[in-house]
Amino acid sequence: MIRIPLFGSMRDLGPAPRFFLLFVAVNVVSWQNIVGPSMVLLARKIGMPEFFVGMMLSFLPFTSVLMLLTVPWVPRLGPKRVMMWAWGLRNIICCIVFTLPLALAWGRPQLSWAVFGTAILGFCVMRALGAGGWLPWLHEIVPPGQRSAYFSSETAVTQVINVLIMLAQAALLAGGDAGIDRFLAIYAIGILMGFWSLLWMRRIPGGTAVEGMSAVRFREEFQTCAAAVRDLSFLKFMLVASFGISSMCWFGAANVMYMRDVLLLPDSATMSINALASLGVLFTVGSWGRFTEQSGSGRAMFKSLVGHGCAVFIVLLLPVGSPWAGYGMAGVMVLGAVFCAAFNVAANRAMLNQVPETNRIGYTAVWTVITALALGITPLLAGAVIGAWGLRGFQVCFVVSSVWAVLAGMVSLWTVHDSHRTPPTVTAMLNPLLPLRTLGRILWITLGLDESNTRPSPPPQFPGDQE
């Protein structure tokens, strides 16, 4: 049976993780209003070319590299203090966006692109400088046995907020050609909620400075990052996870522009489809979280990536111009969001379980930087391909996303070793019925019908159950 995972998973959490979830809920409102799909719609509204839209999408992950600068300061100042300062400044800097009408009145579209890009870049830079405390803080307050429950709950909270925010944005942008003033209203709400999130952040326990820390020595602190890179098992996992993240990002970077510029859907319809996708995640992430906890992150990463690749391939079968192409795209968006969320739960769980208690800041910083490269390079490539080839460029993005996701999923079976089951043999992989059994299993998990939803202990392994 499909169950909304929000309250069920939260009951498994202690007080500290619950406070963090409340902060996340408010922070998501700010996040979605500033760098969500509405950012892409506004960029295209002011005539920003596809390549520059892709560049703006890459700001967030690329600036995450700046997190390395905060590695020496997080243990000395404490994650809470670092995040409080950074979160406050990012909201102040983002207010630059309200000068956009003046830039548009100047008559040069390039000036409006620069103003909008500067506001988003400043937001992303300050977010990156503060994000160095996020994962160490979580590692401190979330016990190992609660991590799957936490990440599935976090995803559920995020999706509840996303549904409400995107429906509200769809209503705001509905009714003719939405003007700049409506988009600026969205940003005003986002910035106000960003300041409110600081009040909730103050109530989260933990996050204090490490006692007895000496003066900052950057060379010594960066050795903690080097230790993570020298950990071959962790490095291998990061590369495989980044490969999977990139495959999903090829679709994520293109889908909003595809719906707006190719399928010619109105902005309100695009936001409604994104809300529907978030609703799909809300109803399924709990099932995937329980499957991940019981069967292991490696198997969950494999199944979610294969599911995502198959879902994206459906877009290539939708005839452009058909009256039902928009409905088909809505279905693909829902499936893509469901499998992307499932992959993120599994990958984050696997990452935290491999981080040693004595070096959580160095390991989490390297993880963030490596995955940021995948998240940053992919939108740039997607924007360049779309800008150069138009409709054919969109199709290239979808093909790459589909193929890479399946390949990354297969590799994850042999690189993430946290399952009680052994990876399938070559003979099993050549079984022509295996793809159908795998897709059936993926659908079974998504619908909440897998035995992991009802059995607290690992299920017995049956002969030939190697999907």
Side-chain angles (χ1 to χ4, degrees), residues 158-170:
T158 299
Q159 300 313 316
V160 169
I161 302 299
N162 283 347
V163 171
L164 298 176
I165 289 298
M166 291 180 189
L167 288 177
Q169 290 179 356

Side-chain angles (χ1 to χ4, degrees), residues 2-7 9 152-164 274-288 290 334 337-339 341-342 446:
I2 300 177
R3 296 176 292 181
I4 298 178
L6 179 58
F7 299 108
S9 297
S152 60
S153 296
E154 182 183 87
T155 303
V157 168
T158 299
Q159 300 313 316
V160 169
I161 302 299
N162 283 347
V163 171
L164 298 176
N274 276 280
L276 187 62
S278 294
L279 193 62
V281 174
L282 174 63
F283 278 95
T284 59
V285 70
S287 300
W288 277 99
R290 287 183 286 272
V334 171
V338 164
F339 296 127
T446 304

